[in-house]
Amino acid sequence: MRAAVVKGVGASLPQRVVTNDELAGYLDTSDEWIRSRTGIGTRRWVDAGVSTADLATQAGALALRSAGIDRVDAVVVATTTPDRLCPATAPEVATRLGMTGISAHDVNAVCTGFLYGLASAVGLIAAGNADTVLMIGAETFSTILDPKDRGTAVIFADGAGALVLRAGEAHEPGAIGPLVLGSDGSLADLIQIPAGGSRQRSSGVSAPPEDYFFKMRGREVYRHAVERMSASALEALSRAGLTMSDVDKFVPHQANQRISVAVGMRLGISAEQTVSNVERVGNTAAASIGLLLAEATAEGSLRAGQRLLLTAFGGGLTWGATTMVWPQVTAHISSPPRPGVEALAS
Ligand code: UT7
């Protein structure tokens, strides 16, 4: 079977930095609470008028530049925050990147979106329906946050991360390993936007304004996240014929630093092996793993030849994990998160 192999990586962050102190200016919270409970110090939110497609297009352009190509056969966008409920965001992104006519679709698995999007890209390549795929995780979560809800407003954030994948062999560096994916719809209520979809519309009952915002039952989600991320990571290793001692770097979805640490402890992974950017960018949902791969590569904490273990968890509920050997690749990021990281505006 043809493997999907990473050929390029790019990311885009909005310019606007939102500090914990700014949030504490209008919410009953504090920098101390946010840092100690989540590990988050700052996050990026879009300025008025900037959409998910804008971030996705920029991250996609930079991933194509990283791959040294200007066309792919298909675009997949993983997002919880599409520009519109209908149509999907991917066709617009493909067209803005100069690729009108190609396959383009969205995937929604909330914070597991990057891994479900990867599965879609892997499937397109394995079946021979595409030789190259641009997979973008992109979010403008700030647009669905309830500004009065301190349980979510301090956590979620905006950004985009993208990979270019090409057809290749499973043994090559950059080949995506077996993907373990799962879901449990009986717990859909733990993470949801209650109104605006067909269930509320067909009820004929108008919803209160707060029901159009994102809601999360954080404490319950936390427990499921630790269990599912740990279990799926172990299963992905086993399906790849590997053990924990083969893993060089752990790349968890950046939900909350405490979740990453708790999962790492269960798996026997050290803090030094765990890559993280949640302190600077918050939880960017479907964009999180792509953004982390790009930043960690640009900073040198991910290097060619290292074996990575990736895992994520999100609304649905959904979860997933995979492994790969990181290839020789240069990451391009639109908005440098700290001095020293190469800036390449698209
Ligand atoms: O991305 C994938 C899906 N999402 C996640 O994986 C996130 C999972 N959940 C979490 O990360 C954590 O549950 C949170 C960060 C959301 C909350 O942390 P926690 O330690 O689980 O806090 P909690 O929800 O148990 O709340 C503890 C207290 C509560 O007050 P009482 O009831 O003990 O008086 C909350 O009302 O902290 C209060 N609280 C806050 N206080 C100050 C909740 N949010 C805040 C806040 N500032 N921002």
Side-chain angles (χ1 to χ4, degrees):
M1 197 171 75
R2 304 198 318 168
V5 179
V6 173
K7 184 177 168 64
V9 56
S12 167
L13 282 165
Q15 292 295 324
R16 184 173 164 229
V17 178
V18 178
T19 64
N20 292 342
D21 286 338
E22 179 178 339
L23 298 177
Y26 60 90
L27 283 169
D28 183 13
T29 189
S30 64
D31 179 58
E32 195 282 327
W33 193 96
I34 301 169
R35 282 184 189 275
S36 63
R37 296 296 183 111
T38 71
I40 298 169
T42 59
R43 76 283 293 139
R44 304 286 184 117
W45 284 357
V46 291
D47 289 308
V50 177
S51 75
T52 294
D54 296 332
L55 296 182
T57 301
Q58 189 170 44
L62 292 170
L64 288 168
R65 188 188 299 184
S66 163
I69 58 176
D70 57 12
R71 282 194 72 76
V72 287
D73 299 326
V75 170
V76 178
V77 173
T79 186
T80 321
T81 49
D83 279 28
R84 293 172 276 202
L85 266 180
C86 161
T89 302
E92 178 184 330
V93 172
T95 286
R96 286 172 62 181
L97 291 170
M99 299 185 286
T100 300
I102 68 167
S103 158
H105 71 275
D106 285 7
V107 168
N108 180 355
V110 198
C111 297
T112 319
F114 202 83
L115 294 185
Y116 270 83
L118 263 187
S120 192
V122 165
L124 284 166
I125 287 174
N129 292 323
D131 290 332
T132 49
V133 179
L134 173 60
M135 207 312 274
I136 310 167
E139 301 281 15
T140 48
F141 236 85
S142 61
T143 63
I144 58 168
L145 291 174
D146 181 347
K148 295 190 294 300
D149 180 7
R150 66 180 182 173
T152 53
V154 304
I155 298 171
F156 291 94
D158 306 342
L163 294 178
V164 170
L165 300 135
R166 62 164 175 85
E169 305 286 332
H171 60 79
E172 288 184 69
I176 307 295
L179 267 153
V180 171
L181 299 171
S183 70
D184 182 354
S186 73
L187 297 169
D189 290 356
L190 295 188
I191 293 175
Q192 62 166 327
I193 301 175
S198 63
R199 182 168 299 286
Q200 178 263 324
R201 284 168 184 249
S202 76
S203 72
V205 179
S206 61
E210 62 270 23
D211 279 7
Y212 290 87
F213 287 121
F214 178 84
K215 295 184 192 305
M216 176 176 73
R217 298 203 331 239
R219 201 176 301 188
E220 287 155 273
V221 169
Y222 188 104
R223 189 169 51 81
H224 289 291
V226 173
E227 278 170 20
R228 294 299 189 180
M229 287 170 80
S230 308
S232 55
L234 286 173
E235 198 183 332
L237 279 177
S238 151
R239 294 245 317 258
L242 301 168
T243 66
M244 205 55 70
S245 60
D246 297 309
V247 175
D248 297 306
K249 291 284 178 177
F250 180 44
V251 185
H253 159 55
Q254 299 292 284
N256 175 332
Q257 187 61 18
R258 281 162 58 218
I259 292 177
S260 297
V261 169
V263 174
M265 280 174 69
R266 282 199 183 193
L267 296 175
I269 288 173
S270 68
E272 294 70 42
Q273 285 175 286
T274 305
V275 291
S276 167
N277 63 355
V278 75
E279 197 276 331
R280 285 174 288 111
V281 303
N283 179 341
T284 58
S288 155
I289 286 182
L291 194 51
L292 181 56
L293 288 171
E295 286 199 355
T297 302
E299 291 170 2
S301 48
L302 284 188
R303 290 192 299 278
Q306 291 175 330
R307 183 163 323 260
L308 314 185
L309 174 61
L310 288 64
T311 182
F313 177 87
L317 299 177
T318 53
W319 55 85
T322 192
T323 59
M324 64 186 299
V325 173
W326 196 234
Q328 186 64 53
V329 68
T330 303
H332 293 335
I333 303 172
S334 68
S335 172
R338 60 168 67 144
V341 174
E342 184 186 11
L344 281 174
S346 71

